[in-house]
Amino acid sequence: MGKYESFTFSETASAASSFKSRRGCFVKATTGVIFVSVTVAIVIGVGLIVHFTEKDQSPSCDKDEVQLPGHAAADTAGKGQTKAPGTTSAPVDWSQTCKNMATGNENGICQSCPQSTCPPQLTGAPPAAKSTPTPPVEFIRLPKTIEPVDYDLVVTPNFYGADPESFTFDGSVNIKIKCKNATDKIIIHSKQLIIREWNLTPEVAPEDIKIDGMTEDTTQQLLTFTLNKNMLPTNFYHLTIKFAGPLKTDLAGLYLSSYQEGGETKYLATTQFQPTDARKAFPCFDEPGFKAVFRITLLRQEGWHSLSNSPIASTEDRNGMKADIFAPTLPMSTYLVAYVVSQFQHSSGTTKNNITYGAWAKPESVPYTQEALRLGINIITFYEELFDIKFPLAKQDMIAIPDYPLGGMENWGLVTYREEAMLYNPKTNSEYTKQRVTKVIAHELSHQWFGDLVTMQWWDDLWLNEGFATYMEYVGTNFSHPDWNIFDQFAVGDLYDAFDFDGHRTSEYVIFVQFLTIPPDVQESVYCTAIASGGWEPWNFALEQLTKTIDVAQISLIQRALACSREPWILRHYLTLALNSTYVRSQDTLTVVEHVAGNQIGATFAWTFLVENWEYIRSSFGGAWFSFDRLISSLTRSFNTESELKKSIKSSNVKEIEPNQH
Ligand SMILES: [Zn+2]
């Protein structure tokens, strides 16, 4: 894309050296103005959608089959499990009838046809509860009168039973606070946590200071502790809080993920904090400018393993469990803290400069971490030499999480990835998968410097952070694979367009019968062509393959191919399945919408779907706002003119757009 063309390799190196001279400071936005337009576009896109969320929700169909707004809880038990095979076998001869019913907007489709074909807009079922417009919230930043210096955080995930509905976590945090200006208030973030006990002690006794009371503002996600007297400038205090929270499959804060092993569901507790969900895992000063040292302790059962940003310094017995005590981190932002408790296994190596590098995955996937491990070890050393700044941590881990909202997250020293962005099977995966893995790793590792070592003071400079990392993903990939000529892809952007198959729609769906014999590099083209040129049968066949396969690259490939259909009713049907975890894992919901949006025929449906289900999508994926820029760019790319956009908005029955809002 043009936005990157003014960068050169040497400019990057000089930018790196300017970072070097500002080590420990924060990024100030003085360069890279070219990225502003992208940010503005994203902000406007999000703003537009938020603007239209007062619309009524669509009527729902069968809540067991299609999960709609308000049914989030029903999703918990099934989410994260391998898709149940054979749940969508259709009678051979119903497809034309159902197609006619769908085209004719006949409500009877929900009774006569397989439940999974029942789109919400066709049903006479009671509508979902109307969302109540919420008053605008005044945006509040934490006061600068005090600042955190050091967190001593102890966390215990309680998830060893059989019932995931009962899983929780609890913990305590001791925050060492420095007072900068006299104040009798401590205000910090907390979201959906139960606050059990709190206490304040001065670092140097005797100072007769204590907490008189605590109030919680759930809208602003703030805890306010009022003291009996002022804290004094330059003095240090310790705020101790005991807390607990539910361990849910909501992909935000400390959350629950799962996978299948030998017919059994295995669970793991893992984190995703960016941008503002550290506060959902523990009370904290959850703004990127408040850097502090983190001393983390994770309690786990014997036979489990824990990971965090630092290496484990020691392990001791505590409360009948094992307590892994991690080495203190360097000063860092809350959104980059990460921890995982799992039964994962790993492959490992050492970089040229003696950094221990581990690649973690569920046991059966460990063989497919080899490429990621090799790439990670090589790229980290390449960046050290390019930036002329040694990697500042003692270890670097990467981990493939079965339920993950993003491609990857650059937690300092513990980068989390979605499985298909890290695992690579040379026997079954395509060159495209290999390229994607390489790019995501190159991107996240560059953040270990751009973003983690030097960090924006506030989120308004995130574009600079992401702009550099997006550029560096090409630099790192080009270093790993000069034969790919990856910089050529700048001209067409970094979003692979899988749907432009108009010129060669000749194959038949019978190709699917030879599913596994097709060479990996052409599978995507073949699947998409078969779906695009066929009707319901090849589409439904592919859907069945989706529910049967556990190969993450195949899942990703089939999900893209399913969006290649030229049948509007099939695309609408696919969108309804995006909210059904039997077919589409929650981590992939937005990806499916994005794929449908990338199909010219599906763009309007995707837009309507997003608007109608916005409240549910926002509540389910609100923390993963990085997903939204891609999604909105896919959606808006299909609307080339103002009249097209207006037409779509009109057809989705949302408010008329203001002329200056796009
Ligand atoms: Zn990034």
Side-chain angles (χ1 to χ4, degrees):
M1 284 184 278
K3 60 183 177 170
Y4 300 109
E5 281 166 5
S6 64
F7 282 90
T8 66
F9 209 90
S10 60
E11 280 172 325
T12 306
S14 77
S17 63
S18 82
F19 273 102
K20 184 187 181 187
S21 66
R22 296 169 57 199
R23 183 188 297 225
C25 300
F26 298 105
V27 172
K28 192 78 187 138
T30 53
T31 57
V33 174
I34 42 184
F35 295 108
V36 169
S37 59
V38 178
T39 311
V40 169
I42 292 166
V43 169
I44 289 173
V46 172
L48 281 176
I49 289 176
V50 170
H51 180 73
F52 296 123
T53 53
E54 289 179 12
K55 188 190 175 301
D56 291 358
Q57 300 294 340
S58 278
S60 67
C61 188
D62 183 332
K63 71 179 177 186
D64 295 322
E65 193 65 29
V66 182
Q67 285 160 4
L68 286 173
H71 297 137
D75 200 26
T76 309
K79 204 171 287 181
Q81 296 178 17
T82 303
K83 295 164 182 67
T87 47
T88 180
S89 300
V92 178
D93 57 351
W94 66 265
S95 65
Q96 189 56 44
T97 307
C98 291
K99 180 182 169 182
N100 292 342
M101 292 176 86
T103 309
N105 264 16
E106 292 181 38
N107 291 358
I109 191 172
C110 293
Q111 282 76 49
S112 313
C113 301
Q115 287 181 336
S116 61
T117 64
C118 171
Q121 65 268 34
L122 295 182
T123 75
K130 188 174 178 178
S131 58
T132 312
T134 46
V137 174
E138 190 193 347
F139 181 67
I140 290 184
R141 293 281 298 271
L142 296 182
K144 301 280 193 293
T145 48
I146 54 173
E147 64 183 19
V149 178
D150 193 312
Y151 290 76
D152 193 336
L153 175 66
V154 181
V155 179
T156 310
N158 307 302
F159 65 143
Y160 299 100
D163 177 17
E165 296 284 343
S166 67
F167 292 169
T168 60
F169 62 91
D170 58 59
S172 66
V173 63
N174 179 339
I175 312 175
K176 182 176 177 180
I177 292 168
K178 182 178 186 184
C179 179
K180 294 168 73 183
N181 300 105
T183 178
D184 65 351
K185 291 212 168 18
I186 300 174
I187 303 176
I188 62 172
H189 288 110
S190 173
K191 179 182 176 186
Q192 297 170 18
L193 295 174
I194 298 162
I195 305 300
R196 287 178 167 155
E197 291 174 29
W198 52 86
N199 189 37
L200 183 76
T201 52
E203 175 131 304
V204 182
E207 200 181 326
D208 179 25
I209 192 166
K210 65 182 177 65
I211 295 170
D212 272 349
M214 187 275 284
T215 57
E216 179 168 13
D217 179 341
T218 53
T219 307
Q220 300 283 0
Q221 304 169 354
L222 295 175
L223 300 178
T224 301
F225 298 92
T226 306
L227 315 181
N228 64 332
K229 59 196 285 190
N230 275 348
M231 294 187 287
L232 301 175
T234 74
N235 283 6
F236 292 94
Y237 300 84
H238 288 266
L239 173 66
T240 309
I241 302 172
K242 288 191 177 171
F243 59 89
L247 196 59
K248 298 191 290 187
T249 56
D250 53 4
L251 312 177
L254 178 62
Y255 71 92
L256 186 68
S257 176
S258 65
Y259 56 98
Q260 293 291 307
E261 190 177 270
E264 196 184 330
T265 303
K266 298 274 192 172
Y267 294 101
L268 60 147
T270 183
T271 55
Q272 170 57 38
F273 288 171
Q274 192 182 34
T276 56
D277 279 317
R279 67 189 67 174
K280 188 169 169 289
F282 60 96
C284 57
F285 294 74
D286 198 11
E287 294 185 2
F290 282 117
K291 286 191 171 187
V293 170
F294 287 84
R295 302 165 196 276
I296 293 171
T297 300
L298 294 174
L299 270 69
R300 57 169 175 86
Q301 281 191 357
E302 181 104 48
W304 292 64
H305 188 273
S306 70
L307 285 168
S308 187
N309 305 82
S310 308
I312 294 175
S314 63
T315 298
E316 60 186 44
D317 294 322
R318 198 184 293 183
N319 307 332
M321 300 184 85
K322 295 286 177 189
D324 291 328
I325 301 163
F326 292 85
T329 67
L330 295 177
M332 60 185 284
S333 303
T334 48
Y335 82 91
L336 295 166
V337 172
Y339 36 92
V340 182
V341 177
S342 74
Q343 290 178 298
F344 277 16
Q345 293 174 4
H346 74 299
S347 58
S348 66
T350 307
T351 72
K352 202 170 100 183
N353 294 327
N354 267 331
I355 299 152
T356 306
Y357 201 104
W360 297 78
K362 63 192 180 206
E364 71 170 10
S365 297
V366 171
Y368 313 128
T369 61
Q370 285 303 315
E371 178 69 6
L373 180 71
R374 187 188 71 77
L375 287 164
I377 287 174
N378 289 341
I379 290 174
I380 217 161
T381 305
F382 168 65
Y383 284 164
E384 283 185 312
E385 290 166 5
L386 178 67
F387 302 152
D388 196 20
I389 303 174
K390 200 176 174 314
F391 182 71
L393 309 179
K395 67 94 178 171
Q396 175 67 43
D397 284 307
M398 54 177 15
I399 183 164
I401 305 290
D403 294 279
Y404 198 66
L406 312 170
M409 174 64 210
E410 67 267 24
N411 314 299
W412 214 8
L414 175 56
V415 180
T416 43
Y417 294 86
R418 74 163 45 206
E419 287 185 318
E420 58 266 45
M422 186 180 133
L423 304 178
Y424 174 71
N425 180 345
K427 291 205 178 89
T428 62
N429 294 161
S430 68
E431 196 79 349
Y432 168 70
T433 300
K434 193 176 185 179
Q435 202 173 90
R436 181 179 183 196
V437 166
T438 310
K439 284 173 75 178
V440 178
I441 291 172
H443 180 110
E444 303 305 338
L445 287 181
S446 76
H447 272 312
Q448 304 298 303
W449 286 264
F450 297 111
D452 297 2
L453 178 62
V454 285
T455 312
M456 70 269 155
Q457 185 74 248
W458 183 244
W459 295 109
D460 54 357
D461 281 334
L462 181 67
W463 57 274
L464 183 61
N465 184 351
E466 288 306 324
F468 271 118
T470 303
Y471 176 68
M472 289 311 300
E473 85 187 31
Y474 284 85
V475 176
T477 301
N478 191 53
F479 162 75
S480 304
H481 275 279
D483 54 308
W484 283 342
N485 296 314
I486 196 77
F487 280 103
D488 292 352
Q489 291 187 16
F490 267 158
V492 291
D494 58 358
L495 183 63
Y496 182 73
D497 186 355
F499 309 110
D500 184 18
F501 285 83
D502 285 355
H504 43 95
R505 274 184 288 134
T506 52
S507 301
E508 295 298 329
Y509 82 93
V510 290
I511 289 167
F512 274 103
V513 177
Q514 294 153 347
F515 205 63
L516 294 172
T517 63
I518 301 168
D521 286 344
V522 297
Q523 275 177 357
E524 176 148 356
S525 168
V526 170
Y527 292 0
C528 185
T529 303
I531 293 280
S533 58
W536 170 256
E537 286 82 4
W539 194 90
N540 194 43
F541 182 86
L543 183 67
E544 284 181 4
Q545 302 310 309
L546 182 68
T547 63
K548 286 174 186 164
T549 184
I550 57 164
D551 182 322
V552 289
Q554 281 289 326
I555 289 172
S556 173
L557 192 153
I558 296 170
Q559 280 176 347
R560 283 197 293 275
L562 286 169
C564 294
S565 174
R566 323 289 294 183
E567 295 276 3
W569 76 281
I570 289 179
L571 292 170
R572 286 209 306 267
H573 173 49
Y574 189 26
L575 286 167
T576 66
L577 297 187
L579 293 177
N580 183 337
S581 62
T582 303
Y583 299 96
V584 178
R585 295 183 73 133
S586 53
Q587 66 163 20
D588 295 332
T589 295
L590 292 178
T591 309
V592 165
V593 179
E594 184 189 323
H595 291 333
V596 175
N599 178 338
Q600 288 266 326
I601 296 167
T604 306
F605 304 135
W607 171 265
T608 308
F609 175 84
L610 189 67
V611 171
E612 288 183 347
N613 295 289
W614 177 250
E615 282 300 333
Y616 173 75
I617 289 171
R618 192 173 57 170
S619 66
S620 305
F621 308 99
W625 60 318
F626 275 1
S627 311
F628 284 94
D629 63 349
R630 264 190 3 203
L631 177 65
I632 286 161
S633 111
S634 280
L635 281 165
T636 50
R637 210 165 25 144
S638 300
F639 302 122
N640 294 322
T641 65
E642 181 177 328
S643 66
E644 276 177 17
L645 181 57
K646 281 190 170 182
K647 200 172 142 197
S648 300
I649 290 165
K650 213 165 189 173
S651 70
S652 58
N653 286 327
V654 300
K655 284 185 194 169
E656 185 64 31
I657 189 169
E658 295 296 327
N660 61 352
Q661 283 182 298
H662 56 98

